[in-house]
Amino acid sequence: MGIAAQDTSFRSKHAAIFFPYPMYKEKWRSSIGFTMMTTPEDITEEVRLRIPAGDYHLLRKINNYFVLDSRLLFQVLQNHISTGVHYLKPINKNIYFSVGNDIGFWFGFLKLSGFNSKALGWLDYPNMSIGYKTKRNLLIALKAQVSVNLYYQAANGTVKYSSSQNYYNGETFTLSLEQPFYNKKHLTLAFSAINNKFYWQTWALFYKTNRKVFYPQVTVGFIL
């Protein structure tokens, strides 16, 4: 309660999506933006794809320590939805911590040159974040997340394949910066290092590799 009292001015001036700060007063918070990911050259050879995706992020307060964190990444041909509960804990007036677990569902379809492909799958994302609040209205957060594949299903015409084998997929590390932008709006800029055997945006290129592949990603969001 003492920390909450100290942060009254902070709550009125800041809004954050990635920063692990409890939602003391608000019940809902959301952001809209996009992500940009680049496919690795050693996998796609001469064809390197820079794949943008729309990004809608929604937080729902449960109480002072728990939030429901939901996110939609959409590209029409392939989409990803995730939701999970996160526990948020102030360490002191500048440092904040959270831990949580998200369940993700993705699906895609592609009709091209006689191919009629579609796929879907489930993933589990345990995660942990630590944030630092600077004196210059800048919120810095580092998030570590692991990925576990739960289910995969694909079909190309009449040929179908499915797998319920669970396996450790890889890790993602995200550095996010959030600060006031314009007219009481706030901006999110995040850089992610994705190191996975399988990444949902590349399902049409290949299912998974025998080794982890690095995917750099940038996220830009405007907190509503």
Side-chain angles (χ1 to χ4, degrees):
M1 294 297 295
I3 292 176
Q6 293 174 1
D7 286 335
T8 301
S9 61
F10 174 70
R11 291 201 304 273
S12 64
K13 293 180 180 179
H14 289 68
I17 292 292
F18 286 96
F19 190 82
Y21 188 76
M23 296 171 62
Y24 292 115
K25 291 185 176 180
E26 298 171 88
K27 288 187 177 181
W28 298 92
R29 183 179 297 160
S30 62
S31 72
I32 188 72
F34 64 90
T35 67
M36 181 71 74
M37 185 271 291
T38 301
T39 58
E41 188 175 7
D42 60 337
I43 296 295
T44 56
E45 296 180 353
E46 70 276 3
V47 180
R48 295 197 69 185
L49 304 176
R50 289 174 173 83
I51 306 174
D55 183 3
Y56 179 69
H57 211 139
L58 179 67
L59 303 180
R60 173 62 164 92
K61 175 184 175 181
I62 299 175
N63 57 37
N64 283 353
Y65 296 98
F66 289 92
V67 298
L68 183 66
D69 190 312
S70 302
R71 192 176 185 183
L72 169 64
L73 298 169
F74 52 95
Q75 294 175 300
V76 181
L77 297 181
Q78 48 196 10
N79 308 277
H80 183 283
I81 305 170
S82 65
T83 189
V85 175
H86 293 193
Y87 170 76
L88 306 108
K89 173 69 175 178
I91 304 302
N92 57 44
K93 66 179 182 179
N94 296 110
I95 299 176
Y96 299 82
F97 170 83
S98 78
V99 63
N101 188 73
D102 301 320
I103 297 295
F105 172 74
W106 65 271
F107 61 95
F109 55 91
L110 181 64
K111 292 184 178 181
L112 181 66
S113 300
F115 291 95
N116 183 13
S117 301
K118 56 184 178 180
L120 58 86
W122 291 90
L123 293 154
D124 184 36
Y125 300 106
N127 57 80
M128 179 179 67
S129 298
I130 187 165
Y132 177 72
K133 175 170 67 77
T134 73
K135 296 180 179 179
R136 296 180 177 270
N137 293 332
L138 177 64
L139 307 179
I140 304 172
L142 179 63
K143 179 179 181 179
Q145 173 179 282
V146 299
S147 170
V148 178
N149 188 82
L150 302 178
Y151 181 74
Y152 177 87
Q153 176 182 300
N156 188 358
T158 59
V159 179
K160 297 182 179 180
Y161 169 78
S162 65
S163 173
S164 57
Q165 178 187 4
N166 295 352
Y167 64 85
Y168 182 79
N169 193 36
E171 314 85 25
T172 298
F173 298 95
T174 299
L175 175 66
S176 65
L177 308 173
E178 294 174 297
Q179 62 182 3
F181 177 60
Y182 174 74
N183 193 25
K184 296 183 180 181
K185 301 298 182 182
H186 295 75
L187 175 70
T188 295
L189 179 62
F191 305 91
S192 298
I194 303 168
N195 196 36
N196 284 354
K197 293 181 180 178
F198 168 72
Y199 189 56
W200 65 275
Q201 291 191 51
T202 61
W203 72 270
L205 300 176
F206 47 88
Y207 167 34
K208 69 173 183 176
T209 63
N210 292 326
R211 60 182 176 85
K212 295 177 184 177
V213 178
F214 174 70
Y215 304 92
Q217 181 174 274
V218 175
T219 301
V220 178
F222 298 90
I223 300 175
L224 304 177

